[in-house]
Amino acid sequence: MTLLTVNGISKVYREQQKSTQALNKASLTIRKNEFVSVIGPSGCGKSTLLNIIAGIDQPDEGVVIYDGQIVTGKNGLFGYMPQNDVLMPWRTVLDNVILGLELKGVPKDEARKKAELYFESFGLAGFQHKYPTSLSGGMRQRANFLRTILPDHPLLLLDEPFGKLDAITRHHMQRWLMNRWEELQVPVLLITHDIEEALFLSDRIYMMSSRPGSIKTEIDVPFTRPRSAEVEYSKTFMELKRKITNLL
């Protein structure tokens, strides 16, 4: 069942007398309970595409359709986790993660009770009343992800969530995200520049061309779920990585 359809999205940025076309008729779909990644060269418009799906930016052409309804330009419908750390330093970790619930009108005490149920499984137990400066990079990203999922959005949009972490922490966080996603079963669209990350996490991968970005090809990831770390050492994984690298 197709949940989200992104159809023919084009976007041109205009600054003074200069125009830059970021996207050219980019199209993709996401099915129910599916994990989809988008990869492509730096500057190809991946984040622009995600921002348009999130309703943060408007396309010059094309539509975003969710559950049969046109939702182009409507924000707040989906959970959105940007590249940059968005934890507020003056709020405790607990009060940071409930921000989305507060914006939806959930009373603070009720929001805190709901959030605290997740702190152990998110590796944040004992840090509820600490401030973000007390957290490691991986913990900050887990807190950011908890804030993204708490409002029970029907779709999660993740923009290179681990791109600024060191290699070891990123590797650990990829496995952690896999485990959490298999529990939550919420459809995800992940923007990433990491081929191994896309292969390990995804059911399907869309590859974008260089700017102006369009969908170059679609790759089905054949690994079954639940997915173990061993798939990364399989012959199929290595062959797919080589294929994607060559295409990029």
Side-chain angles (χ1 to χ4, degrees), residues 43-81:
C44 72
K46 299 186 296 293
S47 292
T48 297
L49 181 61
L50 198 73
N51 288 340
I52 288 172
I53 296 170
I56 297 169
D57 206 350
Q58 286 273 9
D60 293 309
E61 183 181 353
V63 293
V64 179
I65 301 170
Y66 173 75
D67 199 22
Q69 302 293 316
I70 295 176
V71 296
T72 315
K74 295 183 179 180
N75 59 36
L77 296 176
F78 310 131
Y80 174 71
M81 183 174 167

Side-chain angles (χ1 to χ4, degrees), residues 16-63:
Q16 297 178 348
Q17 295 183 346
K18 182 180 179 181
S19 295
T20 302
Q21 185 167 7
L23 295 169
N24 180 34
K25 298 186 182 300
S27 300
L28 57 80
T29 61
I30 301 175
R31 304 176 190 121
K32 186 177 180 181
N33 298 337
E34 187 178 36
F35 199 120
V36 175
S37 290
V38 176
I39 62 176
S42 179
C44 72
K46 299 186 296 293
S47 292
T48 297
L49 181 61
L50 198 73
N51 288 340
I52 288 172
I53 296 170
I56 297 169
D57 206 350
Q58 286 273 9
D60 293 309
E61 183 181 353
V63 293

Side-chain angles (χ1 to χ4, degrees), residues 178 182 199-203 221 223-229 231:
M178 172 64 71
E182 288 178 350
L199 282 171
F200 179 66
L201 293 171
S202 307
D203 298 302
V221 179
F223 309 117
T224 58
R225 298 188 186 277
R227 194 169 292 174
S228 69
V231 302

Side-chain angles (χ1 to χ4, degrees), residues 197-208:
E197 180 172 272
L199 282 171
F200 179 66
L201 293 171
S202 307
D203 298 302
R204 286 186 299 127
I205 299 171
Y206 285 102
M207 292 183 55
M208 291 185 70

